[in-house]
Structure formats: structure tokens, C-alpha cells
Amino acid sequence: MTSKDTAVPMHRVATASFAGTTIEFYDFFIYGTAAALVFAPVFFPALGTAAGTVAAFATFGVAFFFRPVGSILFGHFGDRLGRKRTLVATLLLMGLSTFAIGLLPSAEMIGVLAPVVLVVLRALQGLAVGGEWAGAALLTTEYAPAHKRGLYSMFPQLGPGIALALSSMTFLVTTLTLSPEAFREWGWRLPFLISILLVAVGLYIRLKVDETPVFRRVESRNEQVRLPFVTALRHQWREVLLTGGTLTMIFAFFYIGSVYLMSYASSAPGHGVLGLSRPTVLVGALIGALVFAGTCVLSALWSDRHGRRRVILVGNVLAVVAGPLAFAIMQPGNAVSFVIGMVLLMVVVGIPYGPAAAYLPEIFAARYRYTGAGMGYNLAGIVGGAIPLIVAPPLTAAFGGIGVGIYLAALGLLSVLCVLVLPETKDEVLDGTVPASAPA
């Protein structure tokens, strides 16, 4: 590295990636919590409780289908113009979309226009978060010393866990301090509105970080490709599909745990199964989120010593057993069994998620790395994030919670098979040239 490459302290880079992903995923997750708790009566009152809940989850899933589009759109600019500028744009788009949801009138006030606008805003959130993860991962991976890429790439991976904890805590406070009527009428809007303050903080931090040294070298050699999306698919389409399959389990376990269980464990009439109070469910989500973040730290550190592929494989193998086991543990329907089941799901997610921010950038060539890593990650978002949330309610209705658990196990097996085909990348040199594991 040159002196210019080391001018930015790693703690500033780590803080910028952590703050950005935390804020973006906080905005993303408060939607999921609100969808599980209150969006059915607010935006879909004519459908009734059960169908309204399915519709609310469907709007949550809309974002996952726009995430690959976001990875292509922002990946293009990230690979052409730089990581930093693109990350500022994703943060602004997410923040403004989230704030607008907090101001959106209910269906009672503006009729069918309310859910239509809600879907549009959710799609914009999907575009933003689709471009966020790969950029945040590259920000740390392309700055970090080779032997500490797992350590520093851990910081963007902490974002979702801390964001879920903040989201759960925010809704817990509003639930405990407001009546159910007040929460439904206006209290649910507060987490969306206050997020604009977090966005301001995130922007300030990100603007303090320079462009990554790897991208500067690509730029100095004039090696940016005209269409990163096309080039990535031409040279590494197999890696896009395989990394998507490898991370599918992560998305499935995480969003079933953080979103679907909010409804599954609820005492609300018409869709709750376990019959737990809303505060109990939110506390369980808060504990699970913190456990998830802690597991990410350990697994990212292990990946620097034992390799990314091996650590990810361990998590995916455990998922095959943990899916059905977690739902079996929760069946007694008390607070303790629910928290244990939630923690089990989150531990299994955290093991492969910790090294993922180092693993995917190491697989793809620098000239289209933002796009390639983003496409693989967000492909997993569709297969593991959107689809399970849609099929989980009918699976529960037909087979009980164990049906969802078996479905999770099947996705875990898919991820095991995909990671077995991918190479180890821990010792790749990220100097702007093509990785040894990638085609030229």
C-alpha cells in the first residue's frame, strides 16, 4: 500500500460502514415490525385480519424483488464512479423513503391510494438496501489489511443485528407507553419519523471517509468497465448464482426470526399461534438480535484464522437441524421457549453472516466487484427473504410451525450444496487485479 492508501484510519472506515448499514437496516426492519404488528388494520382493513396480515407481509416482500435491481443500479455507479459516492446516495434514498412512510395517510383517509403508495415507498427502500450492503462490505474489505479482512468486514455485518435490536426497542417503548388504539392510530409512525435524525448522523460519518484504495487503483489504470452488470454475468455468472444460494439460508432464518415470528408468536386474534403478548415478542426479538450480532463478531474473527468457506459451511450445515428444532422448542408457547427458539435461529444465522462481507468481495474481480457481490447477496434476498415470508403463513396453517421449520431445513441444505462448490478466498490479494478464483 502507498501512504495515500493508509491515510484513512481503519477505525473511521469501520465506523462509516457500521453506521451506514445500521441506519439503513433499521429503516428496513421497522417496516417489517410494523407490517407484523399494525399494517393490516391501517392499510388493508377491508381484507380482515388474516388476509390483511398476508398482504402486509407481501408488501414487505416487495423490497426483496427490488433489491437485485438496486444492486445492479447502484453497483453500476459503485463500479464506475466509486464506492463512497454511491453509499451516500443509498443512505439518502433509504432515509427519505422511510420518513415518507411515517407521513403516509391510512387507507381510512385516502382509500386504495394508501397501499399503492406504501408499495412504491417499500420498493424504493428495496432499491436502497440493495445497493447498500455490497458498498459497505467493499468499503471495509478494500481498505483492510489482508490478514484482518474478516475482522474489519465484521463491522457492516453488525448493522442488521444492531438495527433489529433498535427497531425492537423502539416499538417496545411505543407499545409500553401508548394505548393499543394510540399505537395503531399514530404511535407506529414515530420509529419511521425519528429515523431521519439517524440518517443525518450516517451521512456526516460517511462523508468523512475517502474512496477505497482498490477502486483508486482501478480508476488510475482506467479499468472500469462500461457495463459492470453485463461483464459480471459474462465472466462470473456461476459465482453470482452460487453465492446467492450460499446465503439463502441466512436470509430465510433471519427474516422468519425477525419478521414472521412477530406474527406467529403474537396473541393478536386471527393470526397469532403462540399467544404471547406484544412486549414479550419484542423482548425476544431484542435478545435474538443481540445474540446474532455477537455471533457475527466471533464467526468473522474465526474466518481470518480458519477460512471464510469453512465457517460459512458450518453455519449452513447446522441450519439443516436448527430449523425444525427451533420451532419444536417454541411449541409450548411460553416466553422462555420462544426466546430459546429465537436465539437458536439467530445463532445459526450469525455463523455464516459474519464472514460474508469478506467472502463475497474476495470472490469477484475489482472492476465489477460492487455489482457482482451485490447481485449474489440480493439474489439470496429473493429466494431466502421474500419467498419464505409468503409461504410461511400457509405452511403454518397446514402443518403447524414444524412445517416452516422443515422448509428452513431444505433451504439450509441448498446453501450447503452451493458453498461446497465455491473456493476458499481468505488469502486472495485485493489489489485491483482479478482474483485467482475468478475468470479473467
Side-chain angles (χ1 to χ4, degrees):
M1 285 190 177
T2 68
S3 59
K4 185 179 181 182
D5 291 342
T6 57
V8 179
M10 277 307 303
H11 73 269
R12 185 184 298 175
V13 175
T15 301
S17 65
F18 168 70
T21 53
T22 299
I23 293 163
E24 291 232 17
F25 278 96
Y26 168 81
D27 287 359
F28 199 73
F29 292 154
I30 56 176
Y31 188 103
T33 305
L37 298 179
V38 76
F39 274 5
V42 172
F43 293 107
F44 305 98
L47 298 180
T49 302
T53 300
V54 173
F57 281 148
T59 65
F60 181 81
V62 163
F64 289 99
F65 291 96
F66 279 86
R67 284 172 70 155
V69 180
S71 70
I72 295 169
L73 174 65
F74 289 109
H76 177 86
F77 294 111
D79 284 322
R80 294 276 302 168
L81 303 178
R83 322 314 192 195
K84 174 185 172 176
R85 295 184 211 174
T86 306
L87 285 170
V88 169
T90 63
L91 191 58
L92 279 172
L93 180 60
M94 175 62 84
L96 295 175
S97 301
T98 301
F99 187 75
I101 292 173
L103 298 175
L104 182 61
S106 67
E108 198 174 290
M109 298 175 65
I110 61 173
V112 71
L113 187 60
V116 171
V117 176
L118 181 69
V119 169
V120 171
L121 292 173
R122 183 58 179 167
L124 293 176
Q125 283 190 319
L127 288 174
V129 83
E132 164 66 23
W133 181 85
L138 267 57
L139 193 65
T140 51
T141 303
E142 292 185 343
Y143 260 111
H147 64 291
K148 291 185 177 180
R149 280 201 294 262
L151 166 65
Y152 286 109
S153 296
M154 162 193 77
F155 286 93
Q157 302 304 80
L158 290 177
I162 302 303
L164 178 58
L166 289 174
S167 172
S168 300
M169 189 180 302
T170 305
F171 276 99
L172 179 61
V173 170
T174 54
T175 297
L176 293 175
T177 56
L178 299 174
S179 68
E181 294 75 21
F183 180 80
R184 193 182 80 170
E185 289 297 322
W186 58 270
W188 66 268
R189 299 179 184 274
L190 295 178
F192 290 86
L193 297 176
I194 65 175
S195 71
I196 200 69
L197 301 176
L198 299 177
V199 170
V201 173
L203 282 174
Y204 174 79
I205 294 172
R206 281 201 165 165
L207 289 171
K208 293 287 185 180
V209 176
D210 294 331
E211 187 52 74
T212 72
V214 172
F215 180 78
R216 286 201 302 266
R217 283 193 287 272
V218 170
E219 190 176 37
S220 68
R221 295 193 293 253
N222 198 27
E223 290 178 351
Q224 298 104 311
V225 294
R226 187 166 162 274
L227 294 173
F229 167 65
V230 174
T231 307
L233 289 183
R234 179 184 301 138
H235 293 293
Q236 290 193 266
W237 63 269
R238 292 180 183 85
E239 285 80 1
V240 170
L241 294 178
L242 289 170
T243 53
T246 294
L247 302 187
T248 290
M249 179 282 287
I250 294 174
F251 279 85
F253 274 62
F254 186 82
Y255 284 102
I256 288 295
S258 64
V259 177
Y260 179 65
L261 286 186
M262 297 298 100
S263 175
Y264 177 82
S266 171
S267 59
H271 59 86
V273 175
L274 299 183
L276 300 175
S277 68
R278 183 178 294 168
T280 299
V281 174
L282 289 169
V283 168
L286 174 60
I287 294 171
L290 294 176
V291 169
F292 167 61
T295 307
C296 284
V297 172
L298 294 175
S299 63
L301 294 174
W302 290 337
S303 77
D304 275 334
R305 175 175 295 184
H306 304 292
R308 325 285 183 224
R309 179 176 175 271
R310 182 178 298 176
V311 174
I312 291 172
L313 180 60
V314 168
N316 289 347
V317 169
L318 290 176
V320 178
V321 177
L325 181 59
F327 276 87
I329 290 172
M330 285 186 280
Q331 287 316 299
N334 57 60
V336 173
S337 64
F338 170 69
V339 170
I340 293 174
M342 170 73 82
V343 166
L344 177 59
L345 291 176
M346 291 302 174
V347 167
V348 169
V349 173
I351 294 173
Y353 194 68
Y359 191 49
L360 267 66
E362 289 169 344
I363 286 176
F364 292 95
R367 61 186 187 272
Y368 51 78
R369 180 174 288 144
Y370 200 130
T371 303
M375 285 195 297
Y377 184 82
N378 291 296
L379 174 62
I382 293 179
V383 181
I387 296 175
L389 288 175
I390 294 172
V391 304
L395 279 176
T396 300
F399 307 105
I402 196 65
V404 180
I406 293 172
Y407 179 63
L408 291 177
L411 294 180
L413 181 60
L414 168 66
S415 293
V416 168
L417 297 175
C418 288
V419 76
L420 286 173
V421 182
L422 288 170
E424 178 54 64
T425 60
K426 180 172 71 72
D427 299 321
E428 289 287 355
V429 178
L430 300 186
D431 62 351
T433 59
V434 179
S437 58

